[in-house]
Amino acid sequence: MISIFATVATLLAGAGQDAQVLSERATPTPDASSEPTGVEYDGSTGALVVPSPKLAAAAIDIDGVLDDEAWENAPVLTGFTQFDPVEGVPATQRTEARVLLTDDALYFSVSAYDDVEGGVRATLGDRDSYGFSDDYVRFILDTFDDRRRGYVIMVNPLGVQQDGLWVVGGGGRRERRMGPPIDWNPDFVWESEGRVYDWGYSVEVKLPLKSIKFKEAEVQDWGLQIERRIARNGYSESWAPVTANVANRMEQFGRLSGLRNLDAGLFLEVNPVQTFSKQGVYDGSTGALERGGIDGDFGLNVTYGITSNLTLDGTYNPDFSQVEADAGQIAVNERFALYLREKRPFFLEGTEIFRLPQQLVYTRSIVNPVAGAKLQGKVGNFNAGFLNAVDDVSHPSGSGELAHPIVNILRVRRDLGTTSNIGMVYTDRTYEGDRFNRVLGFDGRFQFQQRYTMTLLAAGSRTAEGTTDRTNGSIVSAQFARSGRNFQFDASMLDVTDDFLAGSGFIRRTGTAQLRSSVSYNFRGSPGDLIERWGPSLEVEGFWDHDAFWQRNWAEERRMRLGGSVSFRNNITIFGNYSRTYFQFNPTDYDGLFAASPGGDSRPFFPDQSLFQGLNSGTVFIWVSPFDRVRGNIRFTRSETPLFDFITDTPVDIADSWSGDASLNLFPTTNLSAEVGVRHTNLLRQRDGSVYSSATIPRARAQYQFNRALMFRVILEYGSQERGTLLTPTGGDEVAYCVAESCRSITGRESNDFSVETLLSYEPTPGTVFFVGYSRTMEDMEAFRFRDVRPEAEGLFMKLSYRFRR
């Protein structure tokens, strides 16, 4: 342990010098700026097939300086074109990329020229942190040449890494609206370095073949795309030209062809993990924190490459400590469960195989696994994954005892044609023989005429709460979409029965049916125009009770939203929308709801439905990033919002809602970054203007990156949330839900929590990490007063992990 702290101290001592070297702006050597001598492949002219650039060996020092002899005769990929915000025009800045392949690794280098001196944006942040702030170059490798999944290797001008998986069809509607379908959660082992000069920057990358999966074939082709982003103006450019008229961008990739005798060799990783923690919990009887002893925990992860495209993962007592907690979410008038992203390494590996049109697989449903195993990969046209885990949770019967349900998840998907596929999924969560949940589903994604896609899913569940209490349910969804450079359209349907339960998934609403459709159009200018892109959009959707939908009754919820966006030059974008919503519920939906007068009398409650007709809502969102050191965004929403009874999921009262959030990102130096933001919402009853609920969550995050491996971070967050009692809109009587003479009302509550997190982390490569952190949660007796603050809990934790690899 002493040697580890000595190593950290040494790194701290040399950190300032390291950052200075990385950010040095100097004139490049003549070799680095000379004209290319290798064969050029101009993407703008359609020269997109690069013959195998394999060498027996390449003596390349990954230092970001392109002076190695091996680069002189390497293929040069040039002729980049812009695809965002304007499509198909020549790139505004020159980019030259080179590629080489040896028996054990793939090498890339890029010279990214910039005619604006000092225009390159680069920060020395931690891994996967700069996608919206820095310049970058990313390489996308379709190693199976199936146009469905690709490795994304991304590097900023200082060599900071970001990586993930490009999964076609994995992002659904969000994929088309929010950029490419990249899952940024996986981390791979590779090397990179970068240098910033007066003329731009250069980067070098070494990607070991052990770090990726590929076909077992003597001769094979890989898809290849290279993209560059210029952060100061938001321009994105690519080697292989891209058009949004093709739904699957991977169809437009270039090729590395004739790759022979690729062999990753033996692949075995052993990752022992040791954690230590010391916890403290507030004791009401003593009025102080009661601190326990130091708890130590050992875990082990093992990964074995059965073949170059099939791996077996196993874990015992896995460590799922999170170095950053889930950001606070406002839940004062939330009708449904909140969704939280998966952050645990074992479950993140191979997540692309378990993606479906609806989330029938949600690994955070495995709360506290004791052990797990996973087999995944691709054989021929089949992708397959099997996950087994033993959980350690409270028994669902409510007895207070611990249960150890066994979770099994099987996923198989078969490729059809060039870009379509069909698949099946089976999940089983079994507590005992007479208490289980099982889901079987089938899905497919079909693409035709390049721009059209159809996505289908059908699944059924069987749930047993005992030998006699068994229910069956189903879910069906369909989506049709048209991609286009200017015109986009999609329509979808979702139907879920009341008894459908995905015990290993996340389905927000059951017993409902939904229809929705949206259409949008983009008008595009030229690079440098005041308005580079703008366009309107229209969305309509309706929600039905499941039975009412099939009886062709009127929708219970109907919404129409008119929106639009305007993108100005220099990274300023404004989004806005206006919506109008209608609610219509039957009296039977309110069965069990009663209004209780102050005198104690109660009567069945059914509100005047005219209250919930024609509710208005408007939102404005502004994204600003024209400056090198300061960026930010702000959102404001004004709406008329129903107040729901959480038990019957029916609107009871109506409120005026004011909500918004603002975030400011600061980059004072190359090493230091900070983010400050606040989220707020306020619901005022229309009846008398009184406050039904209010929430304010300010959050501040500061991070100092000593070098690419070592950083220190502090997070401060205050969560003030309050909710009043649910009252009737006319007399102001309390609303309660009563069954068998037992009543439950939606009563008021208030919480004012304040938390502090600190973390010192050293992570030279994914899986090899040392960190020590401290967190403390406190309760403020009066919101934002800090006069009477009571500690609730604290934790000191340490993690030691090493990734042995051969």
Side-chain angles (χ1 to χ4, degrees), residues 213-291:
K213 298 175 184 177
F214 49 86
K215 293 181 291 188
E216 284 197 314
E218 183 177 349
V219 182
Q220 54 188 290
D221 294 347
W222 289 2
L224 173 65
Q225 178 66 291
I226 303 175
E227 298 180 352
R228 176 186 177 186
R229 182 178 185 270
I230 304 172
R232 70 173 181 275
N233 52 29
Y235 292 173
S236 295
E237 302 162 350
S238 63
W239 168 60
V242 169
T243 175
N245 289 326
V246 178
N248 181 1
R249 268 171 53 179
M250 296 189 80
E251 290 188 75
Q252 304 170 70
F253 284 12
R255 290 286 183 276
L256 293 176
S257 68
L259 307 181
R260 292 181 174 273
N261 302 318
L262 299 183
D263 184 8
L266 174 65
F267 177 65
L268 177 65
E269 287 185 350
V270 180
N271 181 212
V273 181
Q274 178 68 51
T275 61
F276 300 96
S277 63
K278 183 179 178 66
Q279 305 290 332
V281 179
Y282 178 76
D283 188 335
S285 60
T286 63
L289 286 174
E290 296 295 327
R291 297 178 175 88

Side-chain angles (χ1 to χ4, degrees), residues 639-658:
S639 64
E640 296 175 298
T641 302
L643 303 180
F644 286 89
D645 172 73
F646 304 140
I647 302 173
T648 61
D649 187 29
T650 52
V652 171
D653 199 357
I654 192 73
D656 290 322
S657 172
W658 304 81

